[in-house]
Amino acid sequence: MAKKVLTVCPYCGAGCRLYLLVEDGKVVGAEGAPGRTNEGTLCLKGRYGWDYLNDTQRLTKRLTQPLLRDKSGELAGVSWDEAIGFVADRLTAIKKKHGPDAILCTGSARGPGNEANYVMQKFTRAVIGTNNIDHCARV
Amino acid sequence: MSNGVPEIEDAKCLFIFGYNAADSHPIVARRIIKAKEKGAKIIVTDPRRTEAARIADLWLPIKNGTNMALVNAFANVLITEDLFDKDYVAKYTEGFDAYKEIVLRYTPEHAEAITGVPAADIRKAMRIYAGSPTSFILWGMGVTQYGQAVDVVKGLSGLALMTGNFGKPSVGCGPVRGQNNVQGTCDVGCLPNVYPGYQSVTDDKVREKFEKAWGVPLSPKAGVTMTMVPHLAQEGKIKAFYVFGEDPVQSDPDAGHMRHTLDHLDLVVVQDIFFNKTSMHAHVVLPATAWGEHEGVYSTCDRGFQHFNKAVEPKGDVKPDWEIISLVATRMGYPMHYDNTEEIWNEMIALCPKYAGATYEMLDKYGSIQWPCPTVGHPGTPYLFSGNKFNTPSTKGNLFAAEWRPPKELPDEEYPLVLSTVREVSHYSVRTMTGNCAGLQSVADEPGYIQMSVADAEAMDLEENELVWISSRRGKVMARIMPSERINKGTVYMTYHWWVGSCNELTIDNLDPVSKTPEYKFCAAKVEKVADQAWAEQYVKDEYARLRARMGCQTAAPAAAAEAAANAN
Ligand code: SF4
Ligand code: SF4
């Protein structure tokens, strides 16, 4: 028996609510849920858009580990500790040398959600020290 | 949007401007059809004969790049034919005299010469719009992706103000946006001039509140926009770019310039779920969990907060975005730790009076809460500006008009066509999500299409599905011709999802001076026939394989994989 998880379609601003059908830890389908905007209906994207979670590699690869450029210039897998350390050190150095306004961060208008975006703008403002935070509302 | 999506179906007049709901938001399109069934009059302004145009009572096929002239002419008709609500204008608006002075110059006849829309239809449109008890304006990328976007948006809002179409159900204005959570990203302050809850970074009182909450002094100076990055990097003012869940190489205008920019920055951090085009230029790539693997809140295009849940465990060594950012912050000497998204959400709503009552508990209870929601238990606010109080210091609505400015790059002998970018029903934005879904992949495939009028295709001797070169002053890509009766002569349309036929290799980064939106909807281009079609087909295959290989995808090409899957079933 599939478990039903109530969620929100991530494919457009209509914000249709839907159930993801989960079996053995895998998403196997989706169906419309009674939401304020969609009242149980879904479009093509909402109905079939969950498939990428199963990493079909039809187009590109899901990222599964942090990557860092090595000496030869290739991106290679590293530990989280190394990747986070690299980002923090480089940002700190650039901020020191060129000032906080030399750094720009983006929010994401796609899957991450409001909390992740709140944390990103807080990071930009409180940790980097600039208001250079933007996203693709313009696109 | 000032009013909610469900209210669309009860409006007596829908005024749809540069917005193709059927392709961008099918569920909004459903409401438009319902409104029609309930007797609403529908007016559509679009150069293409969109689905909405087909069911419209009046379709105004406007020449690309002339929006402002038409909007001014609408206002002209409201004044000269005495169709506006004088009492409402006197009580609730300001700026009428200056507004009048500009729009009086845009007679319907003058606008007809610029826009190609018959003067009689301009008049007819306003008689319907102003004569209806409730009129709702919907606009989309056909308005916002021009060099003169903000002026047009203010102009459209002006029409609603002139006719008293605010502050009650089924009226107002709705920008219906593309990305699912653009509204949310703005709501929580991922904008260079405001903190979460649209609180200005230059307001001392507001800034003090956030300084106290976050425990550090904050910059009083508004930041720069993302679309300014190429220019600022060239001037040496931007050195590092932390790209979170976006793919500017694919999505921003003038891709060649963007790649060049990224390669000259001291640091490019990419945080995403898939390997994308921008990550090819990254120094470091941080892998995050995807929708379905984490929870949180999204905002709908009509300001509705909705809680979404986690369904499955992520595969691989990935982390939620907020956790990754917190780890970097902590390593930089600013300890940041959250146990879950609810803790983050509570921190934010405590700082934003407009969101204060939208706790997870209340979101789960109501399903969707449209802000403002000032107290716990408040069910949210379906429409804004109740009592006709607006977000201005005087609380009056601003009537605004501006002179029409033509787009920057007009067609000429060398590049005789107008290129405009649009979206397709099945593919979402840069496609790393939907491009990986079997069900969607079959609908449309690389290298993507150029929609062209039948007349233009015949004149150039081009057949459906024929591969052609399309180029602008900035680049050249290959794509397939799709002739259509719905397309206006002289303009071609491309969608921006494709890798081989990537239209942003061609577009221009002329920005709106206020919104800094690039002019995706207008640049000059030319289409060239390719004599050897077999060679062209091979070229597309090779290019696609090359791009996929560079992104680390070694599996069979999608068509083959889909076939294999179909056979297996
Ligand atoms: S189901 Fe379709 S209309 Fe609804 S949110 Fe998803 S993409 Fe948008
Ligand atoms: S890739 Fe998508 S999210 Fe990123 S800028 Fe483009 S449209 Fe916006």
Side-chain angles (χ1 to χ4, degrees), chain B residues 131-155:
Chain B
S132 147
T134 50
S135 292
F136 199 143
I137 302 178
L138 294 166
W139 71 77
M141 305 277 185
V143 166
T144 50
Q145 291 183 354
Y146 272 106
Q148 190 173 20
V150 172
D151 291 352
V152 174
V153 165
K154 289 189 193 162

PDB file of all heavy atoms in Angstrom, chain B residues 131-155:
ATOM      1  N   GLY B 131     -16.916  49.476 -17.936  1.00  0.00           N
ATOM      2  CA  GLY B 131     -18.351  49.291 -17.768  1.00  0.00           C
ATOM      3  C   GLY B 131     -18.726  48.083 -16.934  1.00  0.00           C
ATOM      4  O   GLY B 131     -19.880  47.905 -16.569  1.00  0.00           O
ATOM      5  N   SER B 132     -17.747  47.239 -16.622  1.00  0.00           N
ATOM      6  CA  SER B 132     -18.042  46.022 -15.884  1.00  0.00           C
ATOM      7  C   SER B 132     -17.963  46.278 -14.373  1.00  0.00           C
ATOM      8  O   SER B 132     -17.111  47.035 -13.919  1.00  0.00           O
ATOM      9  CB  SER B 132     -17.033  44.954 -16.313  1.00  0.00           C
ATOM     10  OG  SER B 132     -16.735  44.117 -15.246  1.00  0.00           O
ATOM     11  N   PRO B 133     -18.846  45.671 -13.576  1.00  0.00           N
ATOM     12  CA  PRO B 133     -18.830  45.937 -12.126  1.00  0.00           C
ATOM     13  C   PRO B 133     -17.538  45.447 -11.455  1.00  0.00           C
ATOM     14  O   PRO B 133     -17.088  46.050 -10.478  1.00  0.00           O
ATOM     15  CB  PRO B 133     -20.042  45.169 -11.598  1.00  0.00           C
ATOM     16  CG  PRO B 133     -20.437  44.216 -12.673  1.00  0.00           C
ATOM     17  CD  PRO B 133     -19.962  44.784 -13.967  1.00  0.00           C
ATOM     18  N   THR B 134     -16.958  44.359 -11.931  1.00  0.00           N
ATOM     19  CA  THR B 134     -15.672  43.913 -11.389  1.00  0.00           C
ATOM     20  C   THR B 134     -14.759  43.523 -12.543  1.00  0.00           C
ATOM     21  O   THR B 134     -15.107  42.675 -13.364  1.00  0.00           O
ATOM     22  CB  THR B 134     -15.833  42.680 -10.462  1.00  0.00           C
ATOM     23  OG1 THR B 134     -16.611  41.687 -11.148  1.00  0.00           O
ATOM     24  CG2 THR B 134     -16.499  43.019  -9.157  1.00  0.00           C
ATOM     25  N   SER B 135     -13.607  44.165 -12.600  1.00  0.00           N
ATOM     26  CA  SER B 135     -12.639  43.873 -13.656  1.00  0.00           C
ATOM     27  C   SER B 135     -11.300  43.504 -13.037  1.00  0.00           C
ATOM     28  O   SER B 135     -10.817  44.178 -12.125  1.00  0.00           O
ATOM     29  CB  SER B 135     -12.452  45.088 -14.570  1.00  0.00           C
ATOM     30  OG  SER B 135     -13.629  45.324 -15.307  1.00  0.00           O
ATOM     31  N   PHE B 136     -10.710  42.440 -13.535  1.00  0.00           N
ATOM     32  CA  PHE B 136      -9.481  41.872 -12.958  1.00  0.00           C
ATOM     33  C   PHE B 136      -8.437  41.882 -14.070  1.00  0.00           C
ATOM     34  O   PHE B 136      -8.691  41.340 -15.152  1.00  0.00           O
ATOM     35  CB  PHE B 136      -9.803  40.432 -12.513  1.00  0.00           C
ATOM     36  CG  PHE B 136      -8.859  39.814 -11.515  1.00  0.00           C
ATOM     37  CD1 PHE B 136      -9.352  38.981 -10.502  1.00  0.00           C
ATOM     38  CD2 PHE B 136      -7.484  40.019 -11.582  1.00  0.00           C
ATOM     39  CE1 PHE B 136      -8.508  38.380  -9.569  1.00  0.00           C
ATOM     40  CE2 PHE B 136      -6.630  39.424 -10.653  1.00  0.00           C
ATOM     41  CZ  PHE B 136      -7.142  38.603  -9.653  1.00  0.00           C
ATOM     42  N   ILE B 137      -7.288  42.492 -13.802  1.00  0.00           N
ATOM     43  CA  ILE B 137      -6.219  42.522 -14.815  1.00  0.00           C
ATOM     44  C   ILE B 137      -5.194  41.435 -14.492  1.00  0.00           C
ATOM     45  O   ILE B 137      -4.713  41.342 -13.362  1.00  0.00           O
ATOM     46  CB  ILE B 137      -5.491  43.889 -14.829  1.00  0.00           C
ATOM     47  CG1 ILE B 137      -6.475  45.025 -15.086  1.00  0.00           C
ATOM     48  CG2 ILE B 137      -4.380  43.891 -15.880  1.00  0.00           C
ATOM     49  CD1 ILE B 137      -5.844  46.415 -15.069  1.00  0.00           C
ATOM     50  N   LEU B 138      -4.866  40.606 -15.462  1.00  0.00           N
ATOM     51  CA  LEU B 138      -3.808  39.617 -15.289  1.00  0.00           C
ATOM     52  C   LEU B 138      -2.701  39.933 -16.277  1.00  0.00           C
ATOM     53  O   LEU B 138      -2.973  40.126 -17.461  1.00  0.00           O
ATOM     54  CB  LEU B 138      -4.336  38.207 -15.591  1.00  0.00           C
ATOM     55  CG  LEU B 138      -5.386  37.642 -14.663  1.00  0.00           C
ATOM     56  CD1 LEU B 138      -6.048  36.418 -15.282  1.00  0.00           C
ATOM     57  CD2 LEU B 138      -4.758  37.275 -13.331  1.00  0.00           C
ATOM     58  N   TRP B 139      -1.469  39.994 -15.793  1.00  0.00           N
ATOM     59  CA  TRP B 139      -0.399  40.165 -16.775  1.00  0.00           C
ATOM     60  C   TRP B 139       0.703  39.163 -16.496  1.00  0.00           C
ATOM     61  O   TRP B 139       0.748  38.539 -15.440  1.00  0.00           O
ATOM     62  CB  TRP B 139       0.133  41.593 -16.803  1.00  0.00           C
ATOM     63  CG  TRP B 139       0.927  42.019 -15.617  1.00  0.00           C
ATOM     64  CD1 TRP B 139       2.226  41.698 -15.330  1.00  0.00           C
ATOM     65  CD2 TRP B 139       0.491  42.890 -14.566  1.00  0.00           C
ATOM     66  NE1 TRP B 139       2.619  42.319 -14.160  1.00  0.00           N
ATOM     67  CE2 TRP B 139       1.581  43.055 -13.678  1.00  0.00           C
ATOM     68  CE3 TRP B 139      -0.721  43.551 -14.305  1.00  0.00           C
ATOM     69  CZ2 TRP B 139       1.486  43.841 -12.537  1.00  0.00           C
ATOM     70  CZ3 TRP B 139      -0.791  44.334 -13.162  1.00  0.00           C
ATOM     71  CH2 TRP B 139       0.286  44.475 -12.292  1.00  0.00           C
ATOM     72  N   GLY B 140       1.577  38.981 -17.479  1.00  0.00           N
ATOM     73  CA  GLY B 140       2.638  37.992 -17.339  1.00  0.00           C
ATOM     74  C   GLY B 140       3.942  38.489 -17.914  1.00  0.00           C
ATOM     75  O   GLY B 140       4.186  39.695 -17.986  1.00  0.00           O
ATOM     76  N   MET B 141       4.745  37.538 -18.338  1.00  0.00           N
ATOM     77  CA  MET B 141       6.086  37.866 -18.818  1.00  0.00           C
ATOM     78  C   MET B 141       6.058  38.760 -20.060  1.00  0.00           C
ATOM     79  O   MET B 141       7.039  39.385 -20.396  1.00  0.00           O
ATOM     80  CB  MET B 141       6.833  36.585 -19.170  1.00  0.00           C
ATOM     81  CG  MET B 141       6.877  35.612 -18.031  1.00  0.00           C
ATOM     82  SD  MET B 141       8.195  36.013 -16.893  1.00  0.00           S
ATOM     83  CE  MET B 141       8.042  34.605 -15.826  1.00  0.00           C
ATOM     84  N   GLY B 142       4.926  38.755 -20.777  1.00  0.00           N
ATOM     85  CA  GLY B 142       4.814  39.618 -21.952  1.00  0.00           C
ATOM     86  C   GLY B 142       4.883  41.088 -21.565  1.00  0.00           C
ATOM     87  O   GLY B 142       5.075  41.954 -22.395  1.00  0.00           O
ATOM     88  N   VAL B 143       4.714  41.372 -20.276  1.00  0.00           N
ATOM     89  CA  VAL B 143       4.857  42.735 -19.792  1.00  0.00           C
ATOM     90  C   VAL B 143       6.199  42.915 -19.110  1.00  0.00           C
ATOM     91  O   VAL B 143       6.927  43.867 -19.358  1.00  0.00           O
ATOM     92  CB  VAL B 143       3.721  43.080 -18.794  1.00  0.00           C
ATOM     93  CG1 VAL B 143       4.038  44.358 -18.035  1.00  0.00           C
ATOM     94  CG2 VAL B 143       2.401  43.195 -19.521  1.00  0.00           C
ATOM     95  N   THR B 144       6.551  41.941 -18.255  1.00  0.00           N
ATOM     96  CA  THR B 144       7.700  42.189 -17.381  1.00  0.00           C
ATOM     97  C   THR B 144       9.054  41.972 -18.038  1.00  0.00           C
ATOM     98  O   THR B 144      10.050  42.459 -17.547  1.00  0.00           O
ATOM     99  CB  THR B 144       7.596  41.331 -16.117  1.00  0.00           C
ATOM    100  OG1 THR B 144       7.349  39.986 -16.515  1.00  0.00           O
ATOM    101  CG2 THR B 144       6.478  41.798 -15.229  1.00  0.00           C
ATOM    102  N   GLN B 145       9.091  41.215 -19.128  1.00  0.00           N
ATOM    103  CA  GLN B 145      10.409  40.987 -19.723  1.00  0.00           C
ATOM    104  C   GLN B 145      10.726  41.930 -20.873  1.00  0.00           C
ATOM    105  O   GLN B 145      11.192  41.528 -21.925  1.00  0.00           O
ATOM    106  CB  GLN B 145      10.530  39.528 -20.142  1.00  0.00           C
ATOM    107  CG  GLN B 145      10.582  38.651 -18.903  1.00  0.00           C
ATOM    108  CD  GLN B 145      10.771  37.199 -19.221  1.00  0.00           C
ATOM    109  OE1 GLN B 145      10.769  36.801 -20.367  1.00  0.00           O
ATOM    110  NE2 GLN B 145      10.966  36.401 -18.199  1.00  0.00           N
ATOM    111  N   TYR B 146      10.445  43.185 -20.660  1.00  0.00           N
ATOM    112  CA  TYR B 146      10.829  44.220 -21.609  1.00  0.00           C
ATOM    113  C   TYR B 146      11.687  45.246 -20.913  1.00  0.00           C
ATOM    114  O   TYR B 146      11.640  45.381 -19.690  1.00  0.00           O
ATOM    115  CB  TYR B 146       9.592  44.922 -22.163  1.00  0.00           C
ATOM    116  CG  TYR B 146       9.032  44.247 -23.386  1.00  0.00           C
ATOM    117  CD1 TYR B 146       7.871  43.506 -23.315  1.00  0.00           C
ATOM    118  CD2 TYR B 146       9.698  44.331 -24.601  1.00  0.00           C
ATOM    119  CE1 TYR B 146       7.370  42.871 -24.442  1.00  0.00           C
ATOM    120  CE2 TYR B 146       9.201  43.695 -25.724  1.00  0.00           C
ATOM    121  CZ  TYR B 146       8.047  42.971 -25.650  1.00  0.00           C
ATOM    122  OH  TYR B 146       7.567  42.347 -26.750  1.00  0.00           O
ATOM    123  N   GLY B 147      12.417  46.013 -21.699  1.00  0.00           N
ATOM    124  CA  GLY B 147      13.219  47.093 -21.117  1.00  0.00           C
ATOM    125  C   GLY B 147      12.358  48.140 -20.423  1.00  0.00           C
ATOM    126  O   GLY B 147      12.815  48.840 -19.550  1.00  0.00           O
ATOM    127  N   GLN B 148      11.085  48.246 -20.815  1.00  0.00           N
ATOM    128  CA  GLN B 148      10.207  49.239 -20.164  1.00  0.00           C
ATOM    129  C   GLN B 148       9.111  48.512 -19.390  1.00  0.00           C
ATOM    130  O   GLN B 148       7.932  48.688 -19.654  1.00  0.00           O
ATOM    131  CB  GLN B 148       9.576  50.169 -21.207  1.00  0.00           C
ATOM    132  CG  GLN B 148       8.857  51.355 -20.578  1.00  0.00           C
ATOM    133  CD  GLN B 148       8.366  52.362 -21.619  1.00  0.00           C
ATOM    134  OE1 GLN B 148       8.222  52.044 -22.790  1.00  0.00           O
ATOM    135  NE2 GLN B 148       8.102  53.578 -21.172  1.00  0.00           N
ATOM    136  N   ALA B 149       9.494  47.705 -18.424  1.00  0.00           N
ATOM    137  CA  ALA B 149       8.534  46.837 -17.760  1.00  0.00           C
ATOM    138  C   ALA B 149       7.805  47.529 -16.614  1.00  0.00           C
ATOM    139  O   ALA B 149       6.582  47.482 -16.520  1.00  0.00           O
ATOM    140  CB  ALA B 149       9.242  45.591 -17.246  1.00  0.00           C
ATOM    141  N   VAL B 150       8.558  48.173 -15.740  1.00  0.00           N
ATOM    142  CA  VAL B 150       7.951  48.745 -14.542  1.00  0.00           C
ATOM    143  C   VAL B 150       6.936  49.822 -14.900  1.00  0.00           C
ATOM    144  O   VAL B 150       5.860  49.910 -14.316  1.00  0.00           O
ATOM    145  CB  VAL B 150       9.038  49.296 -13.598  1.00  0.00           C
ATOM    146  CG1 VAL B 150       8.414  50.056 -12.453  1.00  0.00           C
ATOM    147  CG2 VAL B 150       9.876  48.151 -13.070  1.00  0.00           C
ATOM    148  N   ASP B 151       7.246  50.622 -15.911  1.00  0.00           N
ATOM    149  CA  ASP B 151       6.316  51.662 -16.350  1.00  0.00           C
ATOM    150  C   ASP B 151       4.991  51.049 -16.785  1.00  0.00           C
ATOM    151  O   ASP B 151       3.916  51.572 -16.472  1.00  0.00           O
ATOM    152  CB  ASP B 151       6.904  52.430 -17.544  1.00  0.00           C
ATOM    153  CG  ASP B 151       8.107  53.273 -17.144  1.00  0.00           C
ATOM    154  OD1 ASP B 151       8.370  53.371 -15.929  1.00  0.00           O
ATOM    155  OD2 ASP B 151       8.771  53.819 -18.037  1.00  0.00           O
ATOM    156  N   VAL B 152       5.077  49.950 -17.519  1.00  0.00           N
ATOM    157  CA  VAL B 152       3.854  49.323 -18.030  1.00  0.00           C
ATOM    158  C   VAL B 152       3.034  48.744 -16.877  1.00  0.00           C
ATOM    159  O   VAL B 152       1.814  48.871 -16.827  1.00  0.00           O
ATOM    160  CB  VAL B 152       4.191  48.240 -19.080  1.00  0.00           C
ATOM    161  CG1 VAL B 152       2.941  47.485 -19.502  1.00  0.00           C
ATOM    162  CG2 VAL B 152       4.858  48.871 -20.296  1.00  0.00           C
ATOM    163  N   VAL B 153       3.735  48.121 -15.916  1.00  0.00           N
ATOM    164  CA  VAL B 153       3.048  47.581 -14.747  1.00  0.00           C
ATOM    165  C   VAL B 153       2.314  48.693 -13.997  1.00  0.00           C
ATOM    166  O   VAL B 153       1.141  48.558 -13.641  1.00  0.00           O
ATOM    167  CB  VAL B 153       4.060  46.872 -13.817  1.00  0.00           C
ATOM    168  CG1 VAL B 153       3.461  46.631 -12.441  1.00  0.00           C
ATOM    169  CG2 VAL B 153       4.505  45.560 -14.447  1.00  0.00           C
ATOM    170  N   LYS B 154       2.989  49.814 -13.791  1.00  0.00           N
ATOM    171  CA  LYS B 154       2.340  50.933 -13.100  1.00  0.00           C
ATOM    172  C   LYS B 154       1.183  51.471 -13.927  1.00  0.00           C
ATOM    173  O   LYS B 154       0.156  51.880 -13.388  1.00  0.00           O
ATOM    174  CB  LYS B 154       3.347  52.057 -12.854  1.00  0.00           C
ATOM    175  CG  LYS B 154       4.391  51.731 -11.802  1.00  0.00           C
ATOM    176  CD  LYS B 154       5.164  53.001 -11.523  1.00  0.00           C
ATOM    177  CE  LYS B 154       6.424  52.763 -10.724  1.00  0.00           C
ATOM    178  NZ  LYS B 154       7.345  53.913 -10.846  1.00  0.00           N
ATOM    179  N   GLY B 155       1.368  51.469 -15.247  1.00  0.00           N
ATOM    180  CA  GLY B 155       0.311  51.935 -16.143  1.00  0.00           C
ATOM    181  C   GLY B 155      -0.919  51.063 -16.044  1.00  0.00           C
ATOM    182  O   GLY B 155      -2.049  51.556 -16.009  1.00  0.00           O
TER     183      GLY B 155
END
